[in-house]
Amino acid sequence: MAADPTNLTSMLNLIVLGAVQMLRGSGGAVALWDEEVRRLTLRAVYGLDEATLATLHPRLDEAILGSLGRVGGTVTRLPSAPDASAAMPPEQLLALPLNEDRGTLVGVIYVFREPAAEAFKSGDLELLDLFARQAATTIEQARLAAATLAEKDRLESMQSSFVSIVSHELQTPVAIIKGYAGTLARPDTPWSRETVARVARTIEDECDHLHRLLTDLLDLSRIQAGRVAMSIGPVELPDLAEAVAERSRPQAPAHTIIIDFPSEFPIIQGDREKLRMVLANLIDNAIKYSPEGGSIVIGGRAEADHVVVSIEDQGIGIPPEEREHVFERFHRVDTRLSRATQGVGLGLYICKVIVEAHNGRLWVESPASGRGSTFLVRVPR
Ligand code: ADP
């Protein structure tokens, strides 16, 4: 039997037991609708022997669904063994659907009475309805609890993969820096000026990687500690974009970074340093994820109450099913490029938190995989 961390089965068993006793039945059951196989499957049973259960199974859909909510309904008692006589009396059945709030059928509750017992009355149906509601609520709660547990598992596994990713990401540049520095320090080899310059550049690049990773981690820890302290003042986004682009251009010789804002762009109220971080991250990604170069256009448009800044690249794009997920912590789209690119999947999450702290929204549009991405930041004016 599948693990039942939310205890749904025992709760349903109690409900069935209560229903059978209150209705003076001989047995009862709850079957849940299984969307995958598209039929009802028994989940909780009371007072029905193995043989009856075996014959109940095939009948769940046909005979029983037809008698839902009918007082005086009977189902034919099938022979429990192939050679047994088929002439068994029908048994009395009272059954009600278990519906979710929206009316979707999630299961059925049944109470059986011996053929010779007193017939069910309409008052019995009302009583069973109370149990049916209770069962539906229990199922709903179990579903919510299961979703919460699944989310907790997902976060825990993300957390542990985070530790291994981060240690790997830290180790690689440190190993490279150490290796190169050791080589340069060797007294026995006279290095040419070019070699020294090339090695020094590599060391510098690796230090930049380390710096970026540490900044991401620091930002993340501040955000997780709930300290997105904002320092609000006037921000001229076109100037800010230009300043960020200016810093990125030397690292992106294959890209043309274009700033394209309309004149008279509104000055917004925001945290300049944090918005700089957002733009820097988005431009950095635009460069990282367009390995063949191309143009990166940072544009802006003013709306009645908001401004929208877009960062458009001609890179590898983001498949539709990934567009929501790239903003989650540690989520990276699994491509050959991302595997070869430094990063731990924190940048966009941090950007999103900052933009939302401005009461804004950050999202991505990407026409189709392979044709570039456009990230959009919309913040109030
Ligand atoms: P990182 O770049 O460190 O992996 P981010 O949070 O900045 O983390 O981005 C998450 C993921 O989203 C990236 O790993 C990449 O798969 C995808 N992504 C981000 N920006 C772009 C872009 N401009 N084009 C294509 N994919 C992108």
Side-chain angles (χ1 to χ4, degrees), residues 18-342:
V20 171
Q21 287 182 344
M22 292 289 285
L23 291 164
R24 296 185 316 282
S26 56
V30 165
L32 298 189
W33 180 254
D34 187 335
E35 191 53 43
E36 232 162 70
V37 291
R38 302 204 52 78
R39 65 186 176 81
L40 289 161
T41 318
L42 281 176
R43 187 63 184 262
V45 176
Y46 174 75
L48 302 174
D49 58 34
E50 288 289 319
T52 314
L53 282 179
T55 72
L56 190 59
H57 245 296
R59 290 184 294 161
L60 282 173
D61 292 329
E62 308 109 43
I64 287 180
L65 278 177
S67 49
L68 289 184
R70 255 186 25 215
V71 180
T74 54
V75 285
T76 317
R77 199 189 274 198
L78 292 184
S80 54
D83 56 352
S85 146
M88 292 176 82
E91 57 201 321
Q92 299 189 57
L93 167 73
L94 201 56
L96 275 175
L98 310 177
N99 291 317
E100 269 185 349
D101 278 354
R102 283 164 284 134
T104 344
L105 177 83
V106 288
V108 176
I109 184 165
Y110 323 90
V111 172
F112 297 90
R113 260 184 203 170
E114 291 297 332
E118 187 193 345
F120 283 119
K121 292 200 270 304
S122 60
D124 293 330
L125 195 63
E126 279 161 32
L127 204 53
L128 185 62
D129 187 46
L130 293 179
F131 288 98
R133 284 168 199 269
Q134 179 63 45
T137 312
T138 306
I139 293 164
E140 181 73 30
Q141 282 167 349
R143 190 166 299 166
L144 288 176
T148 312
L149 280 176
E151 180 61 13
K152 189 169 153 275
D153 284 353
R154 199 179 66 87
L155 285 175
E156 274 171 9
S157 92
M158 251 167 43
Q159 212 74 291
S160 71
S161 62
F162 170 70
V163 173
S164 57
I165 291 169
V166 169
S167 18
H168 174 258
E169 290 288 321
L170 285 171
Q171 261 164 8
T172 314
V174 169
I176 295 174
I177 292 168
K178 187 172 157 49
Y180 275 107
T183 312
L184 278 188
R186 264 165 52 183
D188 52 338
T189 326
W191 300 111
S192 69
R193 274 195 65 77
E194 294 86 73
T195 310
V196 173
R198 193 165 45 76
V199 170
R201 263 199 309 278
T202 310
I203 292 180
E204 208 182 343
D205 282 350
E206 293 306 319
C207 285
D208 284 347
H209 282 147
L210 272 180
H211 176 72
R212 212 173 307 149
L213 184 62
L214 292 175
T215 317
D216 271 4
L217 291 175
L218 213 62
D219 291 337
L220 179 74
S221 72
R222 286 200 193 109
I223 283 170
Q224 280 182 333
R227 291 200 304 260
V228 208
M230 301 278 275
S231 158
I232 302 292
V235 183
E236 293 188 41
L237 287 168
D239 283 5
L240 194 62
E242 183 53 53
V244 175
E246 197 52 43
R247 279 196 50 190
S248 303
R249 284 190 182 109
Q251 292 146 34
H255 296 83
T256 316
I257 305 181
I258 301 159
I259 306 293
D260 182 23
F261 281 78
S263 52
E264 312 280 315
F265 196 74
I267 298 178
I268 64 150
Q269 291 297 314
D271 183 321
R272 187 183 157 84
E273 190 41 40
K274 295 218 167 51
L275 290 171
R276 192 198 58 72
M277 228 163 90
V278 170
L279 292 180
N281 245 311
L282 295 177
I283 293 174
D284 198 37
N285 277 351
I287 297 169
K288 274 202 310 197
Y289 298 107
S290 49
E292 286 168 15
S295 57
I296 294 171
V297 183
I298 302 148
R301 67 168 192 269
E303 298 176 348
D305 305 316
H306 290 80
V307 296
V308 180
V309 177
S310 53
I311 294 91
E312 185 185 342
D313 64 52
Q314 299 176 317
I316 60 167
I318 299 177
E321 67 278 10
E322 291 282 351
R323 283 177 207 155
E324 286 287 314
H325 299 299
V326 290
F327 298 100
E328 293 167 8
R329 271 179 298 179
F330 318 130
H331 188 91
R332 308 191 75 203
V333 182
D334 189 19
T335 58
R336 203 173 337 132
L337 178 61
S338 67
R339 282 194 294 276
T341 313
Q342 302 238 358

